[in-house]
RNA sequence: GCCCGGAUGGCGGAAUCGGCAGACGCGGAGGCCUCAAAAGCCUUUACUCGAAAGGGUGUGUGGGUUCAAGUCCCACUCCGGGCACCA
């Protein structure tokens, strides 16, 4: 397309200027009000793709807008540079992941600059920087010393594709790996964990204060999964001095217990199993062990096969409510690592128990009166208790209280809160991550690497193993070391940390990377934290966003980050994703649309404008045949702006008249609208408003009568300021042409609407007859109810519509409408 | 199965304090400019009946509340996302 200016030259000029002059560098002692704007730590996968463009366009808009509001805006950037893709690529190419990663970092940096995104590059951070690793390892040791990092054997998720264990959060509900999509298998391994469960309660309650999308908060709440209940004893029938301990959230249904069920991993299982039942029980236990979670996670619907998922142990416990013996079953639907690994089963009021009981021919005893017409198995709603001794007649809540008291007195009952959340598994059997700074000594056991020996760096002389096994595990000079305590030969830990540990504190480093010999100065960090606006994809709703919340709380409690707000991200925005033919646009699917081609035509400005205009930022964007044309349209808008600002085809007249005043009103109303839209993330509407204003001004200026010079200049300058955060290059260029002696556009203040020009002097009132619009009247907004009524009736078209019919009623709602009912 | 979103012209989407449905843009149609084209500019564009004036119908479906419903209530359909044996 032929454009009235050279887009590449203009954009290159301003990009160099912002970068070379450090326009968006900000000092920690800046006295202005502070604003911390942050896009999620990007993984350096090479040149920016459209998803990045969208994300960083939003981020850059926030930075530039807040800057124009005269705030000290912290806009940092860095790279989440450890991770599997680099490692896999290095394996393929036979190189080192570092070389590969640094190449990709350069590409991503320059494509962010090409987009016109502005940062304080002095604060750049990347995870594999030795200085960053030093602090990652320091923090690991601090967590370890405080007991928040520990090593334990547990059944863990192993991804055969990634050749490493994964955290629970990285495994989908269907048992597949979040990264590779492989089916995850369960292994018993000794691994490193962070004790995130210590913070379960705060992670839950802290959500309330956050200005985050409700669905993200809901997802975190569900993931944490708090449940209140009672833990109590079911005495063993053959030895009442001992008991099976169970957890329930429904103590009120105790009279309906018809069996107890324990997990295949339960420590008492062997003892409880009688000779007669041993064969079937062992078979079930073996199967539970070998099956993947995918196979084990089948829904608990009654049907063929369900009976095989549980077996009678041959033993009984006594129900403390009824003093009757009930059989103990083992079943894989009861989890070994939740609650006590054993439950009381109440088929009448729990769907899983109902399905299980039905499959095994166990009785169903209702303890809550079902509503009339209730059909089906378990009834989980509220109701009056029946068949329940002292609980009869009570509702669920009252019965829960009474039953809990009973259990406290008679069955060692204690109220207990359980969480679904498990500790964060942080060790990975991979090379390209931050090494865990622990040494194993035969005499001293686990010993932390002394702080003055940090960072433990990854060796350069490695051959990436085609099998995917980490070369650290077999790297002799890395593995062999001496014990810091006794000096004897010892081994290093060869696992590395989950890369989510790196992204759990990078924002603190951004706040202060300047203080020597410290990860950050807490006083400096406290000035910026929490992040005022965090921007990223919803795919991190649980993973990164929960880990970072935990990590910051832990660092504060360990005295590393005293004085900081306990929540890292005050306000979160999650943008929609890009789809192409309904599928997610992604590198792995190979369906990405590169941004570069658009820089040649509409420029970064045009592409940015498209992303802002395409629809609400939260919504997904479907990239289709029409998209190209919309992008072209965004380019055309910028051309029209350029022409108008050069007075193409404009006619002038001298003194401002009523028409000019109307233009000024439009200008000021647009200021108000765009400002509001920016605050509410309604960027698509902000763009529409600016387009609309340009149309209004152009039309007026190009009319035969023309425009008064000062009025047009004000309109153009306001347009440039409103567009400055959206299309920064061209706006800055035009501004400079028009104001060669003034400071640059981005140093200008955001415009403020003149209230006297925003208020409307006349307004259109609609007149309806029986709810149908029959006339539109220009009236004074202050018009009284009766005047509005009269004006409506006086109108000719209204009279024609009434056609003499008798008026039953008039609804007068000035200044919006009058509705006449006949 | 449960929990959240969402459904508006040919298309992306506006309009949430119940008060002009379709802002803005894309696409289409017609015109101006031009030897012609591109670019640009102007007009028009929900559907439908009508030559026109004018009328009727319209926000996934079916009901309801109201003078008035895209917006509120009830029931449902479809699409997207999250969770899915956590006792």
């Amino acid at each position: 397309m032929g454009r009235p200016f050279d887009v590449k030259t203009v954009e290159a000029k301003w990009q160099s200027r912002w970068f070379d002059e450090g326009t968006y560098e900000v000092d920690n002692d800046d006295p202005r009000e502070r604003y911390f704007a942050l896009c999620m730590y990007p993984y350096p996968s090479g040149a920016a793709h459209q998803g990045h463009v969208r994300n960083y366009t939003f981020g850059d808009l926030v930075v530039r807008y807040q800057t124009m509001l005269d705030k000290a805006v912290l806009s940092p950037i860095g790279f989440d540079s450890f991770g599997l893709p680099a490692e896999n690529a290095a394996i393929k190419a036979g190189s080192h992941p570092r070389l590969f990663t640094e190449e990709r970092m350069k590409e991503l940096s320059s494509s962010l600059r090409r987009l016109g995104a502005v940062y304080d590059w002095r604060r750049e951070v990347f995870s594999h920087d030795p200085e960053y690793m030093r602090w990652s390892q320091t923090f690991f040791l601090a967590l370890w010393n405080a007991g928040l990092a520990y090593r334990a054997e547990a059944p863990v998720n192993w991804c055969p594709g990634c050749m490493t264990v994964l955290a629970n959060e990285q495994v989908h509900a269907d048992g597949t790996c979040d990264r590779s999509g492989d089916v995850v298998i369960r292994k018993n391994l000794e691994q490193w964990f962070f004790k995130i469960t210590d913070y379960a309660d705060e992670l839950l309650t802290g959500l309330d204060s956050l200005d985050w999308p409700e669905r993200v908060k809901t997802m975190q709440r569900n993931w944490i999964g708090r449940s209140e209940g009672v833990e109590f004893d079911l005495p063993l029938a053959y030895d009442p001095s001992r008991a099976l301990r169970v957890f329930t959230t429904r103590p009120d249904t105790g009279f309906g217990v018809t069996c107890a069920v324990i997990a295949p991993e339960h420590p008492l299982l062997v003892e409880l199993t009688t000779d007669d039942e041993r064969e079937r029980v062992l078979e079930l236990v073996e199967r539970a062990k070998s099956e993947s979670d995918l196979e084990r996670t089948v829904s608990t619907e009654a049907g063929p096969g369900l009976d095989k998922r549980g077996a009678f142990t041959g033993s009984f416990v006594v129900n403390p409510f009824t003093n009757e013996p009930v059989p103990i079953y083992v079943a894989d639907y009861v989890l070994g690592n939740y609650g006590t690994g054993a439950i009381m089963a109440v088929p009448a009021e729990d769907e899983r128990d109902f399905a299980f009981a039905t499959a095994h021919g166990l009785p169903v005893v209702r303890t809550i009166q079902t509503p009339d017409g209730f059909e089906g198995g378990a009834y989980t709603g509220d109701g009056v208790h029946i068949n329940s001794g002292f609980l009869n007649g009570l509702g669920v809540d009252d019965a829960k209280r009474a039953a809990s008291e009973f259990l406290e007195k008679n069955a060692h009952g204690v109220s207990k809160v359980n969480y679904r959340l498990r500790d964060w598994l942080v060790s990975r059997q991979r090379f390209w991550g931050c090494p865990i700074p622990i040494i194993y000594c035969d005499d001293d056991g686990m010993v932390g690497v002394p702080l003055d020996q940090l960072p433990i760096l990854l060796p350069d002389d490695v051959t990436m193993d085609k099998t995917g096994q980490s070369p650290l595990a077999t790297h002799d000079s890395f593995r062999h070391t001496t014990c810091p305590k006794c000096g004897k030969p010892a081994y290093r830990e060869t696992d590395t940390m989950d890369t989510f540990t790196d992204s759990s504190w990078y924002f603190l480093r951004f706040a202060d990377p300047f203080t020597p010999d410290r990860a950050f100065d807490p006083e400096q960090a406290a000035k910026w934290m929490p992040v005022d606006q965090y921007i990223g994809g919803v795919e991190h709703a649980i993973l990164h966003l929960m880990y970072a919340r935990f990590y910051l709380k832990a660092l504060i409690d360990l005295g590393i980050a005293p004085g900081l707000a306990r929540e890292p991200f005050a306000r979160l925005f999650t943008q929609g994703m890009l789809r192409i033919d309904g599928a997610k646009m992604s590198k792995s699917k190979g369906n990405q649309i590169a941004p570069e081609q658009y820089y040649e035509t509409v420029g970064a400005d045009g592409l940015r404008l498209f992303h802002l205009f395409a629809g609400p930022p939260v919504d997904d964007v479907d990239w289709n045949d029409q998209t190209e044309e919309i992008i072209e349209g965004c380019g055309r808008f910028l051309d029209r702006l350029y022409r108008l600002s050069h007075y193409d085809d404009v006619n002038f007249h001298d003194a401002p008249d009523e028409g000019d005043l109307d233009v000024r009103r439009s200008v000021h109303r647009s200021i108000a609208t765009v400002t509001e839209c920016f605050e509410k993330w309604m960027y698509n509407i902000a763009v529409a408003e600016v387009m609309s204003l340009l149309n209004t001004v152009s039309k007026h200026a190009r009319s035969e009568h023309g425009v008064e010079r000062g009025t047009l200049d004000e309109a153009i300058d306001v347009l440039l300021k409103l567009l400055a955060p959206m299309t920064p290059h061209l706006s800055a260029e035009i501004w400079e042409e028009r104001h060669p002696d003034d400071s640059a556009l981005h140093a200008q203040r955001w415009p403020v609407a003149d209230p006297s020009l925003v208020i409307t002097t006349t307004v259109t009132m609609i007149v309806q007859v029986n709810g149908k619009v029959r006339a539109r009247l220009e009236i004074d907004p202050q018009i009284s109810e009766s005047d509005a009524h009269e004006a409506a009736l006086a109108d000719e078209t209204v009279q024609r519509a009434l056609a003499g019919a008798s008026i039953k009623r008039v609804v007068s709602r000035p200044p919006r409408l009058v509705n006449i009912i006949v």
Side-chain angles (χ1 to χ4, degrees):
Chain A
M1 68 196 281
R3 306 197 64 177
F5 57 93
D6 181 351
V7 65
K8 285 174 79 174
T9 309
V10 168
E11 296 195 340
K13 166 184 162 182
W14 287 96
Q15 282 157 14
S16 322
R17 191 173 299 182
W18 296 322
F19 184 80
D20 296 343
E21 295 179 0
T23 310
Y24 287 87
E25 289 175 3
V26 64
D27 293 328
N28 282 350
D29 58 6
D30 193 307
R32 292 174 295 177
E33 184 188 342
R34 284 154 191 276
Y35 194 93
F36 191 170
L38 186 62
C39 288
M40 285 180 188
Y41 205 36
Y43 179 79
S45 54
H49 55 255
Q50 289 294 348
H52 286 122
V53 169
R54 191 166 174 77
N55 192 210
Y56 291 97
T57 294
F58 295 143
D60 193 56
L61 184 149
V62 170
V63 169
R64 291 175 182 274
Y65 170 62
Q66 294 293 336
T67 300
M68 288 177 81
L69 292 176
D70 202 24
K71 293 181 190 170
V73 178
L74 177 56
S75 171
I77 186 73
F79 302 98
D80 188 14
S81 57
F82 275 131
L84 257 187
E87 186 163 344
N88 291 338
I91 291 169
K92 226 176 179 177
S95 68
H96 194 284
R98 186 166 48 76
L99 303 173
F100 178 87
T101 300
E102 290 178 354
E103 198 55 43
R104 297 296 177 279
M105 277 169 52
K106 268 185 224 151
E107 288 172 14
L108 185 51
S109 303
S110 71
S111 55
L112 289 177
R113 272 186 62 187
R114 185 62 189 83
L115 178 66
V118 285
Y119 301 102
D120 182 347
W121 286 96
R122 300 170 307 167
R123 297 175 188 255
E124 183 181 355
V125 157
F126 53 96
S127 304
H128 76 282
D129 182 342
E131 191 59 9
Y132 195 82
M133 290 169 70
R134 177 179 165 200
W135 302 117
S136 289
Q137 290 167 348
T138 303
F139 297 157
F140 182 96
L141 290 170
L143 289 162
W144 184 56
N145 288 326
L148 287 170
Y150 65 94
R151 197 169 159 80
E153 184 175 313
V156 298
N157 306 298
W158 171 268
C159 174
C162 301
M163 294 283 287
T164 182
V165 297
L166 304 172
N168 286 329
E169 289 79 6
Q170 288 170 300
V171 182
H172 290 163
D174 65 0
T176 57
C177 169
D178 184 55
R179 261 205 50 72
S180 68
D182 289 296
V183 172
V184 167
I185 48 181
R186 193 153 277 270
K187 280 190 177 183
N188 248 345
L189 291 173
E190 204 171 297
Q191 295 292 326
W192 284 98
F193 294 87
F194 283 166
K195 223 168 176 182
I196 191 171
T197 52
D198 268 16
Y199 288 83
D201 201 46
E202 195 190 343
L203 287 169
L204 185 68
T205 54
L207 290 169
D208 296 339
S209 67
L210 298 177
D211 185 3
W212 283 19
E214 214 41 58
R215 70 182 178 127
V216 174
K217 293 206 259 185
T218 304
M219 282 164 72
Q220 291 214 354
R221 286 190 189 107
N222 290 342
W223 188 261
I224 295 165
R226 179 191 152 97
S227 69
E228 283 178 31
V230 183
E231 209 179 279
F232 68 99
D233 282 348
L234 292 169
L236 301 180
Y238 64 84
D239 180 3
S241 69
R242 294 167 55 220
L244 178 67
R245 197 142 179 95
V246 295
F247 172 74
T248 182
T249 55
R250 293 296 302 277
D252 61 303
T253 60
F255 283 90
V257 173
T258 56
C259 73
V261 188
I262 63 174
E265 300 89 353
H266 199 282
L268 280 179
L269 178 61
V270 173
E271 184 194 325
L272 293 171
T273 306
T274 59
D275 291 344
D276 288 352
E277 309 295 337
R278 185 151 295 131
E279 201 177 321
R280 257 165 303 185
V281 168
L282 285 178
E283 194 188 319
L284 184 126
V285 170
E286 279 313 305
R287 204 178 58 236
K289 257 190 211 163
S290 64
E291 274 186 340
S292 70
D293 268 17
L294 181 62
E295 291 164 302
R296 203 169 143 173
T297 307
V298 286
S299 71
T300 317
E301 280 166 31
L306 186 63
D307 57 322
K308 294 202 188 69
R309 298 185 50 221
F312 180 43
T313 60
S315 299
F316 293 82
V317 283
V318 178
N319 178 351
F321 289 94
T322 59
N323 286 318
E324 296 288 328
V326 294
I328 307 170
Y329 278 72
V330 56
D332 62 5
Y333 81 91
V334 173
L335 305 173
N337 57 351
Y338 183 79
T340 60
I343 61 157
M344 58 175 226
V346 189
E349 279 93 28
D350 183 286
E351 299 194 12
R352 297 153 303 181
D353 296 346
F354 183 87
F356 186 77
T358 310
H360 289 268
L362 291 160
V364 176
V365 179
R366 299 240 173 242
T367 64
I368 293 174
Q369 184 68 55
T370 55
D372 285 348
F374 177 80
E375 284 171 42
Y379 173 68
T380 53
D382 199 358
V384 172
H385 278 74
I386 52 170
N387 302 325
S388 293
F390 65 97
L391 298 174
N392 280 336
L394 297 179
V396 168
D397 287 345
D398 290 337
K400 270 187 187 174
R401 264 188 293 276
S404 300
E405 257 174 60
F406 172 84
L407 289 170
E408 277 163 33
K409 283 193 192 117
N410 301 294
H412 304 110
V414 259
S415 295
K416 193 138 188 203
V417 176
N418 267 315
Y419 296 93
R420 209 186 77 108
L421 180 71
R422 302 291 142 78
D423 279 340
W424 174 12
L425 198 170
V426 293
S427 44
R428 295 289 181 274
Q429 292 69 55
R430 299 300 311 214
F431 173 75
W432 191 234
C434 187
I436 292 173
I438 294 289
I439 290 167
Y440 297 97
C441 169
D442 284 344
D443 294 346
D444 296 304
M446 281 189 278
V447 184
V449 174
L451 297 183
D452 60 13
Q453 289 175 27
L454 297 181
I456 304 300
L457 296 174
L458 292 165
D460 278 338
D461 58 332
V462 290
T463 333
M464 301 306 295
D465 193 324
K466 297 271 185 211
T467 65
Q469 196 183 20
S470 165
L472 276 192
T474 52
H475 193 283
D476 284 345
S477 64
F478 180 86
R479 278 171 68 222
H480 293 289
T481 185
T482 51
C483 172
K485 274 193 185 160
C486 67
K488 285 188 195 158
Y491 291 98
R492 278 191 201 288
E493 171 64 81
T494 58
D495 281 0
T496 51
M497 286 183 235
D498 182 0
T499 56
F500 281 111
T501 60
D502 303 312
S503 52
S504 287
W505 70 278
Y506 74 109
F507 41 90
L508 300 172
R509 182 73 178 173
F510 278 153
D512 177 38
F514 304 123
T515 305
D517 302 319
R518 302 192 73 164
F520 52 88
D521 176 347
E523 264 184 53
Q524 298 299 322
K527 289 180 182 174
W528 292 109
M529 291 295 291
V531 173
D532 292 282
Q533 180 67 67
Y534 201 34
I535 304 165
V538 75
E539 65 272 18
H540 290 112
I542 294 172
L543 291 155
H544 161 60
L545 289 168
M546 182 117 74
Y547 294 148
R549 293 179 63 218
F550 153 71
Y551 210 87
L552 176 60
K553 293 169 199 298
L555 290 186
I556 293 169
D557 291 343
L558 294 177
I560 293 167
L564 270 69
R566 293 184 70 85
E567 287 290 344
F569 316 119
R571 193 171 186 219
L572 171 71
F573 185 85
T574 51
Q575 92 264 17
M577 59 179 189
L578 287 159
R579 306 166 157 282
I580 190 156
D581 299 325
K584 183 180 176 179
M585 194 185 280
S586 72
K587 196 164 192 171
S588 58
K589 291 210 173 74
N591 60 1
Q592 294 189 88
I593 307 285
E596 284 77 16
Q597 56 180 305
Y598 302 103
Y599 297 151
E600 304 290 322
T601 56
V602 298
D605 281 341
L607 188 59
R608 289 167 63 121
L609 197 63
F610 161 74
H611 278 286
L612 294 168
F613 186 53
V618 279
D619 287 359
D620 289 351
V621 171
D622 214 350
W623 199 282
N624 55 35
D625 300 345
Q626 235 202 134
T627 305
E628 298 289 331
E629 280 156 348
I630 299 174
I631 294 172
E632 290 291 314
C634 289
R636 277 199 296 273
F637 164 76
L638 295 172
D639 293 348
R640 286 199 297 272
L641 173 75
Y642 185 89
R643 285 194 212 99
L644 182 72
S645 68
H646 287 77
Y647 309 127
D648 283 11
D649 299 321
V650 167
N651 299 312
F652 289 111
H653 60 244
D654 284 341
D657 58 15
E658 191 57 33
D660 294 310
L661 188 60
D662 279 343
V663 170
R664 294 200 68 214
R665 289 197 182 104
S666 298
V667 168
H668 284 260
R669 270 198 291 271
S670 289
I671 294 172
T673 302
V674 172
T675 305
E676 192 194 342
C677 288
F678 274 21
E679 296 292 337
K680 294 182 179 170
W681 281 76
M682 291 159 60
Y683 300 140
N684 53 326
I685 314 301
V687 175
E689 180 65 26
V690 174
M691 287 176 167
S692 214
L693 178 61
L694 181 71
N695 290 347
T696 304
V697 176
S698 297
K699 197 163 195 164
H700 182 76
R702 289 176 178 164
S703 66
E704 218 168 299
H705 180 60
V707 65
E708 186 266 328
R709 176 71 184 243
T711 304
L712 179 60
D713 283 341
E714 181 195 21
I716 292 169
D717 285 349
V718 166
L719 277 166
L720 295 175
K721 285 178 182 173
L722 296 180
L723 281 164
M726 302 195 262
T727 57
H729 311 85
L730 183 63
S731 311
E733 179 69 12
I734 299 174
W735 180 271
E736 191 179 58
E737 287 173 12
R738 294 171 53 80
H739 304 277
D741 301 324
D742 196 353
S743 51
L745 175 61
H746 296 90
Q748 301 296 317
R749 293 286 78 82
W750 186 250
V752 177
D754 178 344
S756 70
L757 290 170
V758 172
I759 58 155
T760 45
T761 50
T762 67
V763 66
T764 309
M765 181 176 78
I766 57 166
V767 183
Q768 299 177 330
V769 176
N770 285 342
K772 287 189 203 297
V773 181
R774 296 298 176 184
R776 294 177 171 82
L777 307 176
E778 290 301 313
I779 50 111
D780 184 310
Q782 304 299 319
I783 194 168
S784 73
E785 216 172 291
S786 56
D787 288 351
H789 183 161
E790 264 174 51
L793 286 176
D795 188 83
E796 229 176 277
T797 35
V798 173
Q799 280 304 327
R800 212 174 330 129
L802 289 173
S806 69
I807 295 167
K808 285 190 191 140
R809 184 180 166 189
V810 177
V811 180
S812 191
R813 294 280 179 279
R816 304 196 93 141
L817 97 165
V818 172
N819 190 6
I820 303 163
I821 318 302
V822 296

